[in-house]
Amino acid sequence: KAGVTQTPRYLIKTRGQQVTLSCSPISGHRSVSWYQQTPGQGLQFLFEYFSETQRNKGNFPGRFSGRQFSNSRSEMNVSTLELGDSALYLCASSSLPWETQYFGPGTRLLVL
Amino acid sequence: AQRVTQPEKLLSVFKGAPVELKCNYSYSGSPELFWYVQYSRQRLQLLLRHISRESIKGFTADLNKGETSFHLKKPFAQEEDSAMYYCALRAMFSGGYNKLIFGAGTRLAVHP
């Protein structure tokens, strides 16, 4: 099976812009979680989706949002970008929410 | 509060030496713990989950509920073990919601 894929792999934006990141889970996986990875804060949970519903959200401002489509693909959106949003954004999929999560390669976002 | 602590940022050993990567957790429920590994320029991948009690690439980890620890061990380190290792705790919430809480990670450097 193909692994979790994320697009784009790299992105450069300026402050105030918005960005959309995409995640395609492993075939058959219905749960998708997003994490932010930074040198200072490490890996932090953003949100979890299952069957097109957001089931859980981490401690991030409302500028961070996401959705999941009927084919389980997921997108996350960050509006009004700030310099501190520069990070590696990781997507993970699992067959069900309580099963093992498998990670994608990440999207590296740089905000200038 | 749920928390995962990896006290060592860097662990440096020589090839053939034993390795122990420390992980302590704080969680009020029944914990489910994982070790993930990230090799250079590769995605985060699952190494071990405590409920499977497997040995992967010679690594083992035992959950010690009394000491709230889940240390990762290998009797003889190899150069190819050099990587970033993350300990993670699955925190469950009512309704079946869950998220992974990661430690800050420990970089293992194995020298020839």
Side-chain angles (χ1 to χ4, degrees):
Chain A
K1 281 184 181 178
V4 178
T5 58
Q6 293 186 244
T7 56
R9 294 292 310 278
Y10 303 93
L11 209 46
I12 299 176
K13 292 284 187 180
T14 56
R15 277 182 300 175
Q17 287 187 307
Q18 75 164 17
V19 68
T20 299
L21 311 180
S22 181
C23 170
S24 292
I26 291 170
S27 177
H29 283 193
R30 295 166 57 199
S31 179
V32 172
S33 295
W34 288 89
Y35 296 85
Q36 182 196 64
Q37 186 176 25
T38 59
Q41 300 296 318
L43 278 151
Q44 292 189 287
F45 171 77
L46 276 159
F47 17 67
E48 175 198 14
Y49 288 90
F50 178 64
S51 294
E52 302 177 65
T53 302
Q54 186 182 92
R55 291 164 42 89
N56 201 3
K57 188 172 197 284
N59 190 23
F60 280 82
R63 300 185 296 107
F64 290 80
S65 63
R67 57 179 175 168
Q68 187 181 32
F69 302 96
S70 59
N71 62 358
S72 296
R73 192 177 68 84
S74 177
E75 288 182 347
M76 68 163 279
N77 185 277
V78 188
S79 62
T80 321
L81 284 165
E82 300 178 358
L83 296 179
D85 297 332
S86 294
L88 181 67
Y89 289 89
L90 295 172
C91 166
S93 78
S94 57
S95 53
L96 294 168
W98 48 88
E99 295 293 339
T100 299
Q101 294 185 14
Y102 296 89
F103 283 80
T107 294
R108 188 165 294 282
L109 172 65
L110 178 61
V111 182
L112 302 175
Chain B
Q2 307 104 0
R3 186 169 54 246
V4 176
T5 303
Q6 292 179 253
E8 302 138 329
K9 282 189 176 180
L10 172 67
L11 186 62
S12 190
V13 302
F14 287 104
K15 177 182 171 181
V19 168
E20 183 178 51
L21 298 163
K22 292 186 175 11
C23 171
N24 289 91
Y25 67 90
S26 172
Y27 186 56
S28 57
S30 184
E32 187 177 356
L33 287 147
F34 304 82
W35 277 99
Y36 281 84
V37 60
Q38 191 168 32
Y39 299 102
S40 179
R41 300 183 191 219
Q42 293 188 29
R43 67 184 65 193
L44 202 60
Q45 53 187 282
L46 178 69
L47 184 62
L48 286 174
R49 58 187 298 194
H50 90 271
I51 60 173
S52 64
R53 300 186 66 81
E54 297 175 282
S55 172
I56 306 291
K57 299 184 179 182
F59 285 97
T60 58
D62 288 317
L63 176 61
N64 186 323
K65 290 187 180 181
E67 296 183 358
T68 60
S69 68
F70 188 57
H71 303 328
L72 183 68
K73 299 177 184 178
K74 185 169 183 176
F76 308 104
Q78 303 298 316
E79 289 179 68
E80 55 264 31
D81 296 328
S82 296
M84 195 73 179
Y85 291 79
Y86 293 94
C87 182
L89 164 73
R90 186 195 300 282
M92 300 293 295
F93 303 88
S94 59
Y97 305 153
N98 77 102
K99 67 178 181 182
L100 286 180
I101 298 169
F102 285 88
T106 297
R107 181 166 298 284
L108 175 64
V110 182
H111 304 285

